[in-house]
Amino acid sequence: GAGVSQSPSNKVTEKGKDVELRCDPISGHTALYWYRQSLGQGLEFLIYFQGNSAPDKSGLPSDRFSAERTGGSVSTLTIQRTQQEDSAVYLCASSSSGRALYFGPGTRLTVT
Amino acid sequence: QQQVKQSPQSLIVQKGGISIINCAYENTAFDYFPWYQQFPGKGPALLIAIRPDVSEKKEGRFTISFNKSAKQFSLHIMDSQPGDSATYFCAARGSTLGRLYFGRGTQLTVWP
């Protein structure tokens, strides 16, 4: 079946612009996660959704970052007034069992 | 505070050798311990996972050893192959829902 999909795959933006990153989870998966991975670095947790609510948003680095999930499916991660330090690969994952996370291919964000 | 500590940061192994990656955790509430494999340009993919009521789990050439009293777990890759060259992440989770806490990753290179 279809896996987690993310769009765009690559995004180049100018410093100060807003960007929206999209995640389509595996159909039926109730849990959705956003992680960030900087070049050669580990996986930094950003936010977790169960259904449309976000019980854990403690990883969002600043108030420039926000995320929403609608219809228990698609999620959008928005970064306002992007900074160069926001450059990273943004990974989305979904889960049905609360155990295994299935990751998408990521969106590579470059802020110039 | 790093919830899961992973070592080594990088590992070079000869083809046919055994690759061993170690992880340690502090939170005794963790009850699910997966390993993820990530190839360049791809999202992490679940490789193998274990629960703390089991001391060892084997799937093909991949084995997790778990030491609950020491709060340590490790991944063993037997008969390592060049195709195993990737970054490996250990992780832990404390409930059926909620975030996975990841180690910083180990970059494995298997020389032919």
Side-chain angles (χ1 to χ4, degrees), chain A residues 14-88:
Chain A
E14 293 180 352
K15 177 182 174 181
K17 300 283 190 181
D18 298 352
V19 295
E20 286 189 352
L21 312 180
R22 177 186 168 105
C23 172
D24 281 271
I26 294 172
S27 178
H29 280 195
T30 57
L32 186 146
Y33 306 78
W34 285 98
Y35 283 83
R36 178 169 73 173
Q37 187 172 32
S38 301
L39 185 63
Q41 299 299 308
L43 296 157
E44 177 187 5
F45 170 80
L46 297 178
I47 188 170
Y48 149 66
F49 288 92
Q50 179 60 32
N52 292 334
S53 63
D56 188 353
K57 56 179 77 172
S58 62
L60 294 176
S62 74
D63 58 8
R64 296 187 296 106
F65 288 72
S66 63
E68 66 175 11
R69 188 180 186 195
T70 56
S73 181
V74 172
S75 176
T76 302
L77 177 69
T78 301
I79 309 173
Q80 296 179 312
R81 305 181 302 282
T82 52
Q83 304 294 312
Q84 288 186 330
E85 61 263 28
D86 300 334
S87 295

Side-chain angles (χ1 to χ4, degrees), chain B residues 63-80:
Chain B
T63 299
I64 300 178
S65 296
F66 189 85
N67 186 330
K68 188 174 181 178
S69 61
K71 292 185 284 188
Q72 295 175 347
F73 58 111
S74 60
L75 176 69
H76 296 236
I77 306 174
M78 311 300 288
D79 186 27
S80 299

Side-chain angles (χ1 to χ4, degrees), chain A residues 33 35 37 58 98-99 101, chain B residues 32 36 38 93 96 99-100:
Chain A
Y33 306 78
Y35 283 83
Q37 187 172 32
S58 62
R99 295 292 187 191
L101 265 61
Chain B
Y32 172 68
Y36 280 80
Q38 185 178 31
R93 168 187 273 167
T96 55
R99 74 167 80 174
L100 270 179

Side-chain angles (χ1 to χ4, degrees), chain B residues 98-112:
Chain B
R99 74 167 80 174
L100 270 179
Y101 293 88
F102 284 89
R104 293 192 184 277
T106 296
Q107 187 167 353
L108 171 65
T109 302
V110 181
W111 289 101

